[in-house]
Amino acid sequence: MIIDFSGIEPTVIKNFRGGEKDTVTRMYVDKNNKIMQGTLEAGASIGVHTHETNSELIYILEGKGKVMYDGKYEAVEKGSCHYCP
């Protein structure tokens, strides 16, 4: 199955999960998953949160940043894939 994010209307989420600035996302949702293509402007962040009942994969297409995993920050950049089980 191919998901064409260009055909999905973008949603702006202000201060996503308590983070800074705006996150622009296009979401595909079905009964099993939510798949998001998100963009954060420079200096934006997603708030610290946990995944108790689900997992999260983040694949970085461009730019760089950091994610917190198991209480420690890890650097991510273009080509990195972060997995939070």
Side-chain angles (χ1 to χ4, degrees):
M1 174 180 182
I2 303 296
I3 299 169
D4 180 7
F5 286 104
S6 68
I8 299 173
E9 209 48 47
T11 300
V12 177
I13 304 171
K14 296 193 175 294
N15 308 105
F16 189 34
R17 296 190 180 252
E20 299 292 322
K21 301 186 179 183
D22 295 344
T23 300
V24 179
T25 183
R26 297 170 190 266
M27 290 182 262
Y28 170 82
V29 180
D30 66 16
K31 66 180 182 172
N32 298 311
N33 292 291
K34 179 190 305 182
I35 303 169
M36 300 169 60
Q37 179 190 62
T39 303
L40 283 73
E41 63 182 90
S45 65
I46 295 172
V48 175
H49 60 281
T50 61
H51 291 270
E52 303 295 329
T53 60
N54 62 6
S55 299
E56 181 175 62
L57 292 166
I58 302 171
Y59 185 76
I60 311 300
L61 297 175
E62 61 181 77
K64 60 184 177 178
K66 62 183 178 179
V67 296
M68 181 179 283
Y69 177 71
D70 204 18
K72 298 177 186 165
Y73 282 105
E74 299 177 339
V76 292
E77 62 184 15
K78 180 180 179 178
S80 296
C81 183
H82 169 71
Y83 172 56
C84 183

